[in-house]
């Protein structure tokens, strides 16, 4: 297995029309948050299949893949990392966690974050000190702030909501809509498991939180309850 073969497998599925759609969807145009990102039009399920095939790619070659300007190549590298992480021992997990943080600047769009941060950052921190998440939440970089909140999805799945709520409160005044969506999404996931916990947070913050965050958080509420929260929004 080598990097050339992995790229060949990926590019074999490129689609010019889909690439244009993805470029627009992921805001890669001038002045947009992913300006300059290059898409070749490969769907995520196909990238997952290729990642499984090349999951034994050495980290030094994964690094080269992650340095690519092509979005799907970076996604392939990151999904390979998640597959590696799930199979290695504690020493290997340390290595992959450090690798992810060292190259965190390459995790630079919301799909790259959402598909990998919970499985690597969240999984690693599950039974460890989580102060790194609070450092990331204060970053000037949009994607690092999103990594901070989305990583907590791993904790939520274990019915551990503390850091999700703390980070959502820290990010409640964030200027970026993508952060509002991520926080609302995580709050909604909390509510799926413990509605009372989510509602305690909403009673405290719903009147001042960004409308997008609130809408995402209450998406699954009954209509009457949704209207109640939206009515109280300043």
């Amino acid at each position: 297995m080598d990097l050339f073969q992995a790229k060949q497998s990926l590019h074999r599925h490129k689609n010019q029309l889909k690439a244009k759609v993805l470029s627009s969807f992921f805001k890669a145009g001038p002045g947009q948050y992913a300006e300059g990102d290059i898409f070749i039009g490969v769907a995520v399920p196909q990238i997952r299949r290729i990642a499984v095939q090349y999951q034994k790619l050495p980290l030094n070659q994964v690094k080269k893949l992650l340095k690519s300007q092509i979005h799907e190549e970076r996604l392939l590298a990151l999904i390979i990392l998640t597959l590696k992480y799930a199979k290695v021992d504690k020493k290997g997990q340390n290595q992959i966690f450090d690798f992810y943080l060292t190259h965190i600047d390459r995790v630079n769009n919301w799909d790259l974050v959402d598909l990998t941060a919970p499985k690597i950052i969240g999984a690693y921190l599950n039974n460890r000190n989580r102060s790194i998440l609070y450092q990331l939440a204060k970053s000037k970089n949009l994607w690092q702030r999103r990594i901070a909140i989305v990583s907590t999805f791993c904790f939520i799945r274990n019915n551990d909501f503390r850091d999700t709520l703390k980070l959502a409160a820290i990010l409640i005044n964030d200027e970026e809509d993508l952060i509002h969506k991520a926080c609302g999404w995580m709050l909604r996931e909390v509510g799926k498991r413990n509605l009372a916990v989510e509602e305690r947070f909403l009673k405290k913050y719903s009147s001042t939180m960004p409308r997008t965050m609130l809408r995402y958080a209450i998406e699954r509420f009954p209509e009457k309850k949704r209207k109640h929260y939206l009515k109280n929004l300043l």
Side-chain angles (χ1 to χ4, degrees), residues 134 149 161-173 179-180 182-188 190-191 194-210 213-218 221 229 233:
Y134 295 86
I149 187 67
F161 312 129
R162 296 166 297 170
D163 293 287
T164 302
L165 300 176
K166 289 178 182 178
L167 288 163
I170 289 171
L171 294 167
I172 206 164
N173 293 316
I179 300 300
H180 304 165
C183 289
W185 170 28
M186 291 301 104
L187 290 170
R188 184 174 73 241
V190 169
N194 193 320
L195 184 59
V197 170
E198 182 188 6
E199 290 213 70
R200 281 199 295 271
F201 183 92
L202 293 177
K203 286 176 181 177
K204 184 175 182 180
Y205 293 108
S206 64
S207 64
T208 56
M209 68 168 54
M213 186 186 298
L214 180 59
R215 283 191 174 277
Y216 269 62
I218 64 175
F221 283 15
Y229 279 107
L233 185 65

Side-chain angles (χ1 to χ4, degrees), residues 8-21:
Q8 270 195 325
S9 296
L10 186 67
H11 283 256
R12 197 173 294 129
H13 299 279
K14 64 184 179 181
N15 182 302
Q16 188 173 7
L17 181 60
K18 188 173 181 62
K20 290 181 180 179
V21 173

Side-chain angles (χ1 to χ4, degrees), residues 9-213:
S9 296
L10 186 67
H11 283 256
R12 197 173 294 129
H13 299 279
K14 64 184 179 181
N15 182 302
Q16 188 173 7
L17 181 60
K18 188 173 181 62
K20 290 181 180 179
V21 173
L22 290 174
S23 182
S24 176
F25 183 71
F26 286 103
K27 308 298 183 185
Q32 296 180 313
Y33 58 69
E35 180 178 0
D37 208 353
I38 299 171
F39 289 82
I40 59 173
V42 185
V44 172
Q46 187 61 56
I47 296 173
R48 288 188 187 278
R49 287 191 286 270
I50 296 169
V52 170
Q53 184 181 354
Y54 290 95
Q55 61 185 292
K56 293 184 179 180
L57 201 67
L59 279 182
N60 65 334
Q61 295 193 44
V62 174
K63 177 181 176 179
K64 293 179 181 178
L65 198 58
L66 193 54
K67 292 288 185 180
S68 173
Q69 293 301 311
I70 296 174
H71 185 96
E72 290 92 340
E73 290 187 0
R74 299 200 307 283
L75 181 55
L76 176 60
L78 290 165
I79 292 177
I80 287 172
L81 283 180
T82 67
L83 296 174
K84 285 180 176 295
Y85 186 91
K87 294 183 177 181
V88 294
D89 58 15
K90 186 175 292 187
K91 181 179 179 181
Q93 290 176 351
N94 290 340
Q95 184 181 24
I96 292 172
F97 175 78
D98 289 341
F99 180 94
Y100 193 100
L101 288 180
T102 298
H103 304 287
I104 199 169
D105 62 309
R106 307 307 298 157
V107 190
N108 54 1
N109 211 316
W110 61 263
D111 61 324
L112 306 181
V113 172
D114 297 357
L115 291 171
T116 63
K119 294 180 179 180
I120 295 177
I121 301 300
Y124 183 84
L125 297 177
N126 196 37
N127 295 305
R128 293 180 172 89
N129 183 291
R130 301 171 183 176
S131 58
I132 182 65
L133 296 181
Y134 295 86
Q135 296 175 35
L136 293 173
K138 296 176 182 177
S139 172
K140 293 181 179 180
N141 184 282
L142 160 65
W143 308 118
Q144 292 183 24
R145 300 198 303 278
R146 188 166 174 115
I147 287 171
I149 187 67
V150 173
S151 291
T152 69
F153 199 179
C154 180
F155 315 150
I156 294 170
R157 286 172 172 150
N158 293 322
N159 293 311
D160 179 357
F161 312 129
R162 296 166 297 170
D163 293 287
T164 302
L165 300 176
K166 289 178 182 178
L167 288 163
I170 289 171
L171 294 167
I172 206 164
N173 293 316
D174 200 280
E175 296 180 356
E176 294 288 348
D177 189 61
L178 283 170
I179 300 300
H180 304 165
K181 291 177 179 178
C183 289
W185 170 28
M186 291 301 104
L187 290 170
R188 184 174 73 241
E189 293 298 331
V190 169
K192 287 180 184 179
R193 293 155 179 85
N194 193 320
L195 184 59
V197 170
E198 182 188 6
E199 290 213 70
R200 281 199 295 271
F201 183 92
L202 293 177
K203 286 176 181 177
K204 184 175 182 180
Y205 293 108
S206 64
S207 64
T208 56
M209 68 168 54
R211 192 174 188 86
T212 298
M213 186 186 298

